[in-house]
């Protein structure tokens, strides 16, 4: 029975020469990796990117019959929302209802007025020559032209 070291030396010698008699090195002199004839490659598992879970909260939203949002209340203030519905119904004949809506925490509610001018990029323009116009002189010139036209 051959020892483990003997088998290792035989394997290294066979690996050095290769199955077809080659030296086991590529043209650059680097060692090639020799794969046994019956060996299968292990399947490569793709790493899936895990999206961070978006935190959400539930709020009570009052809608009218045109599905326009009338008011919002935190989840723990359902009674206040129901009282608001009664006030709205007493003012008009429209239909109002309450619905629980999940919204992202930290995001502004839909339809909220945000400052759109902050998000817009406006490049700074340098004015090289400033032209000063004296409005009084222009008015005088126009009056003189009108007088000349009247004389003719």
């Amino acid at each position: 029975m051959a020892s483990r070291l003997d088998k290792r030396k035989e394997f290294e010698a066979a690996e050095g020469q290769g199955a077809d008699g080659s030296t086991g090195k590529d043209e650059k002199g680097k060692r090639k990796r020799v794969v046994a004839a019956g060996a299968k490659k292990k399947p490569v598992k793709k790493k899936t990117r895990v999206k961070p879970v978006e935190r959400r909260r539930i709020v009570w939203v009052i809608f009218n019959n045109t599905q326009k949002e009338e008011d919002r209340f935190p989840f723990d203030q359902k009674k206040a929302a129901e009282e608001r519905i009664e006030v709205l119904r007493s003012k008009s004949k429209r239909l109002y209802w309450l619905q629980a809506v999940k919204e992202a925490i930290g995001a502004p509610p839909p339809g909220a007025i945000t400052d759109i001018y902050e998000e817009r990029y406006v490049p700074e323009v340098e004015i090289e020559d400033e032209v000063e116009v004296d409005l009084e002189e222009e008015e005088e010139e126009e009056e003189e032209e009108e007088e000349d036209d009247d004389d003719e």
Side-chain angles (χ1 to χ4, degrees):
M1 185 159 145
S3 70
R4 195 180 94 206
L5 292 175
D6 291 337
K7 288 186 178 182
R8 178 72 182 170
K9 288 179 183 177
E10 289 176 16
F11 176 75
E12 287 176 354
E15 186 180 77
Q17 289 188 356
D20 57 352
S22 64
T23 60
K25 294 184 178 182
D26 61 2
E27 58 273 355
K28 294 181 182 177
K30 294 184 179 179
R31 211 171 137 189
K32 286 187 199 176
R33 179 171 215 149
V34 180
V35 179
K40 293 182 181 178
K41 288 186 176 181
K42 293 181 181 179
V44 178
K45 292 183 181 179
K46 292 184 179 180
K47 293 182 181 179
T48 57
R49 176 177 272 179
V50 179
K51 293 183 180 179
V53 177
E54 184 180 18
R55 294 185 61 207
R56 302 176 77 80
R57 66 177 172 213
I58 298 176
V59 294
W60 295 109
V61 181
I62 299 173
F63 291 98
N64 64 13
N65 59 351
T66 60
Q67 296 182 351
K68 181 182 173 191
E69 183 178 317
E70 293 289 331
D71 213 346
R72 288 178 163 256
F73 292 90
F75 184 75
D76 59 345
Q77 296 179 5
K78 185 175 182 180
K79 288 184 181 179
E82 290 173 346
E83 290 172 5
R84 176 74 175 144
I85 286 177
E86 294 303 321
V87 170
L88 290 171
R89 285 182 183 159
S90 66
K91 288 183 179 178
S92 68
K93 294 181 181 180
R94 285 186 168 179
L95 174 66
Y96 294 95
W97 75 90
L98 188 64
Q99 184 172 357
V101 176
K102 291 181 183 178
E103 68 178 9
I105 294 177
I113 298 172
T114 57
D115 193 7
I116 59 172
Y117 299 108
E118 290 179 358
E119 298 173 6
R120 198 177 299 167
Y121 170 73
V122 179
E124 293 183 19
V125 179
E126 293 182 17
I127 300 173
E128 294 176 6
D129 298 326
E130 291 187 20
V131 179
E132 293 184 18
V133 177
D134 206 3
L135 296 177
E136 294 175 4
E137 291 178 7
E138 285 185 8
E139 291 176 1
E140 290 175 1
E141 290 176 6
E142 289 177 7
E143 289 176 7
E144 290 175 4
E145 288 177 7
E146 288 178 7
E147 289 175 5
D148 291 338
D149 289 338
D150 292 338
D151 292 340
E152 292 177 4

